[in-house]
Amino acid sequence: MNIKKICCIGAGYVGGPTMTVIAQKCPHIEVTVVDLNAERILAWNDENVENIPIYEPGLSSIVAEARGRNLFFSTDVEKAIDEADIIFISVNTPTKTYGKGKNMAADLKYIELCARQIAKVAKSDKIVVEKSTLPVRTAEAIKSILDHTGNGVQFQILSNPEFLAEGTAVEDLLHPDRILIGGDRTPEGQEAIAALVAVYANWVDRDKILTTNVWSSELSKLTANAFLAQRISSINAMSELCEKTGADVNEVARAIGMDSRIGNKFLKASVGFGGSCFQKDILNLVYIAKSYGLHEVADYWEQVIIMNDHQKRRFSNKIVQTLYNTVADKKIAFLGWAFKKDTNDTRESAAIYVADALINEQAKIAVFDPKVSESKVLSDLNYLQSRSSDENKDAISSLDSAYSACKNAHAVAVLTEWDEFKEYDWTKIYESMQKPAFIFDGRNILDKQILEKIGFVYCGIGVL
Ligand code: NAD
Ligand code: UGA
C-alpha cells in the first residue's frame, strides 16, 4: 500500500510534533492534523510560527518549513478522515475521574469517540494507528467498533506508541532509539505494518524499526514508562537516606551509573517526577494488574507513585521546617513551574503540589517560569480545588523575571531545572532577599559551595 495521505486526530504534545516531523521527512505525503479544539488549531496556524501552542526547541522552524506545503492543521475532522490512507489516533487518555476504575484506569472515552467517528465517515479501507498510550488490548475494542459499520470498509489496527520526551521532542523524533509497530499476524496485518514501516524508513534505519504483535506493542509502552519512573523513585528513595546518613545522592548516582548494567541516565534525584504520563500510565498498569487478580504485581508498581508523592510532600515539609516551622505570610519565590525544562507543559508538575502545600501553611508564592503564563499557574492551582480562585489569586503571583520574584523573599525554591537559573547573578538575588536567605534546590542544579559562600542557607535533595 502506498501512503499518500495521513490524518492525525489530536493536535497536542504528541500529535503536533510527531506529524510535523513526518511531514518534514516525507514531502510526498500530505499530513493533516485535526483537533476539536479550535483555539489550538488556530494557534498551530498562526502566521507567526513562534506562537504555535507547544514550545519545543527546534519545532517552530520545522513547522515553518512544512506548513502549507504538505502539513495542515484543521478542525475539519471528517474531511481529513475521509481522505486519509492512514489515521493516527493521538488524543488524550487521562486517568478516569469517575465510575469504575476512578483515579486509576485510563479514560478511553476520547479514543472511543475517534473510533466511532472513523467508522461513521470512512468510505474506503483504512489503517488506524494507536499513537496514544493505551491499556493493553484496547485495539480489540477499537476493532470491534470499526468492524460493525456494515459498509464493507476494511480496517487494520496498528499500535505505534510514541516514546518522545517533552523538551527534547524534535531530537527524539528525528533520532529515535526505536520505532515500535504492533500489528496482526495475518497477511493484511503484515501489509499494514509494511506500509507504516515505509513511512518511518524515510529517515529511520530499518534495524531500529521493531515490529511485534499488537498486545506486546501496547504493553511495551506502559512498561517503558513504568521502568523510567521507577528509576526516579528509586534514586529519590535513596535521597532521603542520604540526608540521614551524610551520603551525597549525586555522588551515589554517579557511582552506580558507571556500572554499565545500570547506566547513568534517569538517575537525577528531584522534587519528584511530573508530566502528564508517568503517573497516569503507572496507575493504569496497576489497574490492569488488579483486574487480572495480580495483586503483588499491582502493589509493586504502585509503590513508584507512593514514593513520588512522598518526595513532593517531603520537599514542602522541609521548607516549612527549615523556615522555623512557619511560612505564614512569608514570601517564597518559585523558580520554575513547568514539569521539566524546555517545555511549557505544566501537567502534574511537582511545583503545583508544593505550592498547594505551602499555601495551606499561608505562605505567599511568587513564581517565575520562562515559558509559563500567570493564568496557567492559577488555573493549575484552581484545578486542585483546595480553595477558591480568589484565595489562590491572593496567595500566588507570577512575575516576569526571577529577580523580581526573589525580591524580599524569605526563600527561593527551584522547581524546574531551566538552564538559565544557573547563569543568574546570585549575589544580586541574595542582596535583595530577607535574611537569613534560604535556597531549596529541588533539582540539585545550583552550586552549593558558591551559594553558601554568598551567604545562602542551601538545602538540596539528598545532600547535606
Ligand atoms: P494533549 O492533551 O496535548 O492532546 C490531545 C488532543 O486531542 C487535544 O488537543 C484534544 O482536544 C484532542 N482531542 C481529543 N478528542 C478528540 C476528538 N475526538 N477529535 C479530535 N481531537 C480530539 O495530549 P498529548 O500529551 O498529546 O498525549 C496524547 C497521547 O499520547 C496520550 O495517550 C499520552 O499518554 C501519549 N503520549 C504523550 C507524550 C507526551 O510527551 N505528552 C509522549 C508519549 C505518549
Ligand atoms: C516521559 C518519557 O521519558 C518518554 O519516553 C515518554 O514518551 C513520555 O514520558 C510519555 O509517555 O509521555 P516526559 O514525561 O515528557 O517523557 O519527560 P521525562 O524526561 O521523562 O521527565 C519526566 C519527569 O521526570 C520530569 O518531571 C523530570 O524532571 C523528572 N525526572 C526525569 C527526574 O526527576 N529525574 C530524572 O533523572 C529524569
Side-chain angles (χ1 to χ4, degrees):
M1 188 181 193
N2 189 14
I3 304 299
K4 293 196 193 72
K5 287 192 180 186
I6 289 178
C7 158
C8 173
I9 310 179
Y13 282 88
V14 168
T18 312
M19 293 302 129
T20 299
V21 168
I22 290 184
Q24 186 202 30
K25 294 296 178 184
C26 311
H28 55 288
I29 300 179
E30 189 178 304
V31 181
T32 305
V33 192
V34 292
D35 205 295
L36 296 173
N37 182 339
E39 208 184 313
R40 214 169 203 183
I41 291 298
L42 206 65
W44 277 112
N45 283 324
D46 197 296
E47 221 172 288
N48 179 356
V49 279
E50 298 310 323
N51 293 338
I52 55 174
I54 286 165
Y55 172 71
E56 276 294 337
L59 180 62
S60 58
S61 61
I62 308 182
V63 170
E65 177 190 335
R67 199 177 58 185
R69 179 190 73 190
N70 65 327
L71 174 65
F72 303 93
F73 295 92
S74 163
T75 50
D76 195 342
V77 181
E78 298 203 346
K79 179 168 180 275
I81 291 175
D82 179 32
E83 292 179 351
D85 308 304
I86 292 196
I87 300 158
F88 286 82
I89 301 181
S90 195
V91 301
N92 36 330
T93 50
T95 305
K96 258 185 108 175
T97 52
Y98 55 89
K100 192 161 175 268
K102 181 179 172 180
N103 297 331
M104 293 220 101
D107 191 342
L108 297 180
K109 68 179 173 196
Y110 305 105
I111 295 286
E112 183 167 336
L113 261 172
C114 289
R116 290 187 185 278
Q117 201 156 19
I118 296 169
K120 187 178 102 190
V121 172
K123 294 191 283 291
S124 55
D125 295 354
K126 312 272 181 211
I127 298 172
V128 176
V129 182
E130 299 173 344
K131 187 51 119 176
S132 299
T133 303
L134 297 170
V136 56
R137 296 199 81 88
T138 303
E140 213 162 35
I142 296 179
K143 191 163 174 45
S144 169
I145 292 169
L146 293 176
D147 283 352
H148 285 84
T149 57
N151 61 3
V153 174
Q154 297 296 311
F155 295 100
Q156 279 302 318
I157 322 285
L158 300 179
S159 161
N160 171 220
E162 184 48 60
F163 295 100
L164 68 80
E166 290 178 29
T168 52
V170 171
E171 193 50 32
D172 295 343
L173 288 164
L174 290 174
H175 308 287
D177 284 347
R178 79 312 210 175
I179 296 289
L180 179 58
I181 302 174
D184 280 354
R185 296 280 187 227
T186 58
E188 297 80 7
Q190 294 301 305
E191 202 187 323
I193 289 178
L196 188 54
V197 168
V199 172
Y200 284 109
N202 283 294
W203 78 99
V204 181
D205 287 346
R206 293 249 175 186
D207 57 6
K208 287 194 169 172
I209 306 178
L210 207 65
T211 60
T212 64
N213 79 32
V214 184
W215 320 131
S216 306
S217 173
E218 288 178 337
L219 188 56
S220 297
K221 173 63 195 176
L222 293 182
T223 310
N225 275 0
F227 271 58
L228 289 168
Q230 181 200 43
R231 281 175 72 95
I232 303 170
S233 279
S234 297
I235 199 71
N236 281 344
M238 290 305 160
S239 75
E240 190 169 15
L241 195 53
C242 285
E243 287 168 29
K244 294 284 179 216
T245 57
D248 176 327
V249 78
N250 300 317
E251 291 178 352
V252 172
R254 189 147 174 254
I256 64 165
M258 285 173 77
D259 184 324
S260 60
R261 293 167 303 173
I262 296 175
N264 61 8
K265 292 184 182 156
F266 262 69
L267 286 179
K268 279 192 218 94
S270 70
V271 52
F273 60 75
S276 63
C277 293
F278 279 171
Q279 173 166 302
K280 148 179 98 65
D281 293 346
I282 293 178
L283 289 174
N284 183 7
L285 193 65
V286 169
Y287 182 75
I288 294 168
K290 276 189 180 155
S291 68
Y292 285 108
L294 308 179
H295 298 292
E296 289 78 5
V297 177
D299 291 348
Y300 177 77
W301 287 110
E302 194 166 17
Q303 202 59 37
V304 173
I305 303 290
I306 292 171
M307 189 62 225
N308 197 49
D309 288 340
H310 171 67
Q311 188 76 348
K312 289 183 271 189
R313 253 192 328 270
R314 205 166 78 72
F315 188 74
S316 52
N317 286 342
K318 173 94 161 261
I319 295 180
V320 177
Q321 279 161 16
T322 312
L323 295 182
Y324 314 108
N325 287 314
T326 176
V327 289
D329 294 323
K330 289 183 180 165
K331 178 179 176 185
I332 301 176
F334 268 34
L335 296 192
W337 189 262
F339 82 98
K340 62 183 286 197
K341 73 172 180 179
D342 293 335
T343 177
N344 60 349
D345 195 348
T346 63
R347 289 177 289 182
E348 289 299 325
S349 178
I352 305 169
Y353 296 93
V354 175
D356 189 55
L358 294 176
I359 294 171
N360 280 343
E361 294 292 332
Q362 301 190 347
K364 300 284 184 205
I365 314 279
V367 181
F368 168 70
D369 186 293
K371 291 288 172 196
V372 181
S373 67
E374 177 151 37
S375 60
K376 190 81 194 83
V377 169
L378 257 179
S379 72
D380 286 340
L381 256 187
N382 288 342
Y383 189 75
L384 295 186
Q385 298 188 329
S386 304
R387 60 195 78 74
S388 73
S389 171
D390 282 344
E391 285 169 315
N392 279 333
K393 236 186 223 162
D394 189 45
I396 201 159
S397 55
S398 214
L399 291 111
D400 58 7
S401 86
Y403 295 96
S404 19
C406 294
K407 197 167 174 208
N408 289 325
H410 294 78
V412 182
V414 178
L415 275 307
T416 313
E417 72 281 24
W418 286 101
D419 287 335
E420 65 176 67
F421 298 166
K422 293 184 253 181
E423 311 302 326
Y424 289 165
D425 181 345
W426 283 98
T427 305
K428 186 172 159 194
I429 292 178
Y430 176 77
E431 281 163 3
S432 76
M433 288 175 64
Q434 308 267 355
K435 307 295 176 319
F438 294 87
I439 187 148
F440 297 91
D441 187 355
R443 297 292 186 163
N444 287 353
I445 55 166
L446 302 175
D447 191 316
K448 177 176 188 269
Q449 277 174 350
I450 293 178
L451 291 169
E452 285 181 342
K453 212 163 154 201
I454 293 172
F456 279 104
V457 179
Y458 177 92
C459 300
I461 301 278
V463 287
L464 281 183

